[in-house]
Amino acid sequence: MTAPPSRASRTPSLAELREHLVRTAIAGDVATSRENNLDHYRSLALRDPHYLFGLTFEGEWSYHDVLALMSEKVGVTADPGHREGPDTIDPERTIDAVEEMGDRIAKVLRRGAPRVVVATGHPTGLLTVHLAVARFLAERGATLLTPAEGWAYVGGLGRRRQIRYLDSVAMLEDRGTFVHTHEAAPMEAMLAEERPDFVIADHGWAGAAGEAGVETVGFADSNDPALFVGEAEGKIAVAVPLDDNVLPRYYAPLTAYLLDRVARSL
């Protein structure tokens, strides 16, 4: 069993972050199975809307193309004969992408008073990261937009859901509960009301923003290939590979490292 990590009170060193990512299974040997990864890669290749996150692609992106890309960008096993059991996320790729994300955020802040949207489709995991990033941005002069608050629709499961914000981070709410979603429609509604300069998000929130031509950085699991394909085609600026649903406190060192990177780049 993974030993609980200590709470981060300072920015970890590169070596400490790498060790933490592997120890908590944010990267390294992750909980997402090989079977699940490959099923999602096939679904994207077949253009199943649930796995596209609101993105459209110019390339053919066959199943083998997607697997090759995910091996390159995420570090999953490249061998198509490996069909079951565990899979991996390379912590070096996670760290490289986090650093690139930090540099992008710093560049946006240097422009002066950027208008930013922050959103997550994975509130049980990544919300803690987004909340910290949103606070950091606001303290450094960014305007956090909250368009389409209360906008509601009937989602793919036939449930009525609406956009709700917690400390300027957008999520979907269903009968008082923040919910997981891949859907792009909420971000599309937000962009129709107010267009930001920059988006920090995941899942369909990130995909829809990138599809609309908004500069977008996001987080994605090894079974979420759409943002990495979007990055390869230039619609997503940075996609950070990580397990997106470990215990929220486990993301604290990663968040500290990201925000320190931004601060040092300003």
Side-chain angles (χ1 to χ4, degrees):
M1 180 179 291
T2 301
S6 59
R7 292 185 181 275
S9 58
R10 60 176 178 80
T11 301
S13 68
L14 183 62
E16 288 170 336
L17 178 60
R18 184 185 301 110
E19 186 275 336
H20 175 81
L21 294 175
V22 173
R23 179 160 50 92
T24 59
I26 293 173
D29 295 330
V30 294
T32 309
S33 71
R34 181 66 169 185
E35 297 95 321
N36 188 259
N37 280 342
L38 297 185
D39 178 67
H40 287 206
Y41 303 167
R42 291 188 190 94
S43 295
L44 184 141
L46 293 170
R47 301 300 195 269
D48 184 328
H50 182 70
Y51 299 94
L52 296 179
F53 292 1
L55 288 159
T56 61
F57 305 122
E58 294 181 3
E60 179 182 346
W61 294 106
S62 69
Y63 164 71
H64 290 288
D65 292 336
V66 175
L67 176 57
L69 177 72
M70 295 300 286
S71 176
E72 174 190 351
K73 300 295 292 184
V74 177
V76 302
T77 302
D79 179 9
H82 176 49
R83 297 189 178 92
E84 59 185 21
D87 214 336
T88 61
I89 294 175
D90 181 358
E92 299 296 339
R93 289 171 169 84
T94 301
I95 292 169
D96 287 347
V98 165
E99 292 178 346
E100 187 178 355
M101 176 184 279
D103 292 344
R104 284 274 185 168
I105 294 172
K107 183 178 179 181
V108 169
L109 286 171
R110 288 197 300 269
R111 297 174 192 163
R115 301 160 67 252
V116 182
V117 161
V118 183
T120 182
H122 225 309
T124 58
L126 293 177
L127 174 58
T128 184
V129 181
H130 290 292
L131 288 170
V133 171
R135 287 192 296 270
F136 181 94
L137 291 172
E139 290 167 359
R140 283 155 182 82
T143 298
L144 298 177
L145 304 181
T146 56
E149 184 168 27
W151 177 87
Y153 76 121
V154 177
L157 298 177
R159 298 288 293 270
R160 185 182 183 277
R161 294 176 167 182
Q162 65 177 340
I163 296 171
R164 181 171 290 187
Y165 289 87
L166 176 64
D167 292 344
S168 301
V169 177
M171 288 170 285
L172 278 188
E173 179 265 345
D174 181 347
R175 301 180 185 179
T177 301
F178 289 126
V179 295
H180 173 269
T181 182
H182 285 191
E183 295 189 51
M187 178 59 80
E188 292 167 351
M190 290 161 63
L191 296 176
E193 182 172 303
E194 191 169 15
R195 186 179 178 90
D197 304 310
F198 192 68
V199 167
I200 303 169
D202 52 62
H203 289 186
W205 303 94
E211 180 69 19
V214 179
E215 185 177 0
T216 301
V217 297
F219 302 95
D221 209 328
S222 59
N223 64 353
D224 291 333
L227 294 191
F228 297 101
V229 176
E231 183 182 34
E233 292 204 350
K235 291 184 174 181
I236 301 296
V238 182
V240 176
L242 47 64
D243 188 310
D244 58 14
N245 197 34
V246 302
L247 292 177
R249 62 188 175 90
Y250 286 6
Y251 296 108
L254 178 74
T255 306
Y257 190 89
L258 169 64
L259 297 182
D260 180 71
R261 178 78 176 199
V262 178
R264 289 188 292 109
S265 299
L266 289 175

